[in-house]
């Protein structure tokens, strides 16, 4: 007989992975998202950034842009690990996100589809935990790299039985 379903125990993607279960070079794709006018408006509302470069098409065109320019942070949030499977894999082992940084390499515009990905670049073990460093990247529909960054996560090592 199997145990009854318990949401606190059974709401998961798969078995927990611990620090030593990860490998340099592993990739975690995040679903693509087209940057719609609605997303621009939602980000403007949430961030309070009211620069017309992000909401006034004619203002943008007068400055040589083909359309509304995405907020840099709007592009960065496309790399949120929670939009992919990584957090499901570290549900019981994740301690904290330690760092997030980015370089904005190309503009992203309303209507662009962005393709984010995280790739493990370094594993730094400690006594009971380790730090997983990931390269964050975002490409557009033209396969152009628009953002490159870094995430660092503190993850527990497998508990001793």
């Amino acid at each position: 007989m199997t145990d009854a379903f318990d949401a606190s125990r059974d709401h998961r993607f798969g078995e927990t992975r611990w620090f030593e279960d990860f490998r340099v070079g592993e990739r975690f794709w995040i679903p693509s998202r087209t940057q719609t006018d609605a997303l621009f408006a939602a980000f403007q509302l949430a961030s309070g950034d009211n620069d017309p470069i992000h909401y006034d098409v004619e203002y943008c065109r007068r400055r040589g842009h083909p359309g509304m320019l995405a907020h840099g942070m709007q592009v960065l949030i496309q790399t949120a690990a929670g939009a992919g499977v990584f957090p499901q894999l570290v549900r019981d082992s994740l301690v904290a996100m330690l760092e997030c940084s980015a370089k904005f390499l190309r503009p992203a515009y309303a209507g662009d589809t962005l393709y984010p990905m995280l790739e493990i670049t370094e594993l730094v073990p400690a006594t009971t935990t380790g730090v997983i460093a990931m390269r964050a990247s975002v490409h557009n529909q033209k396969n152009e790299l628009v953002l490159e960054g870094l995430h660092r996560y503190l993850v527990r090592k497998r508990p001793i039985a």
Side-chain angles (χ1 to χ4, degrees):
M1 182 170 136
T2 61
D3 293 333
F5 177 81
D6 178 345
S8 65
R9 180 194 65 218
D10 299 327
H11 185 250
R12 58 183 61 246
F13 180 78
E15 293 300 315
T16 293
R17 290 177 65 185
W18 305 91
F19 174 77
E20 56 269 50
D21 296 327
F22 291 94
R23 301 290 173 254
V24 169
E26 272 190 84
R27 292 180 173 181
F28 300 91
W29 287 271
I30 298 169
S32 63
R33 290 180 204 88
T34 299
Q35 301 304 292
T36 64
D37 291 350
L39 287 175
F40 271 64
F43 191 85
Q44 179 188 4
L45 182 65
S47 70
D49 184 336
N50 291 311
D51 190 306
I53 198 79
H54 305 304
Y55 69 84
D56 185 330
V57 175
E58 293 310 317
Y59 179 90
C60 296
R61 289 185 181 140
R62 287 192 302 271
R63 282 154 181 77
H65 295 284
M68 293 188 302
L69 182 66
H71 300 71
M73 298 301 287
Q74 180 178 340
V75 177
L76 174 60
I77 65 171
Q78 304 309 307
T79 69
V85 300
F86 180 72
Q88 299 295 324
L89 299 174
V90 294
R91 179 165 306 283
D92 298 323
S93 61
L94 180 67
V95 176
M97 180 181 204
L98 301 174
E99 181 180 347
C100 182
S101 63
K103 294 178 186 176
F104 305 100
L105 305 172
R106 300 183 75 84
Y109 296 103
D112 281 355
T113 299
L114 301 180
Y115 299 85
M117 186 188 58
L118 300 172
E119 179 178 0
I120 296 177
T121 58
E122 184 180 27
L123 296 165
V124 182
T127 305
T128 60
T129 61
V131 174
I132 298 175
M134 293 186 179
R135 174 183 180 256
S137 63
V138 177
H139 287 80
N140 64 17
Q141 71 279 1
K142 299 174 189 172
N143 297 321
E144 298 167 329
L145 184 62
V146 298
L147 177 143
E148 186 169 49
L150 173 72
H151 292 201
R152 288 188 194 278
Y153 298 91
L154 183 62
V155 177
R156 290 181 189 89
K157 287 186 171 179
R158 186 179 312 285
I160 298 172

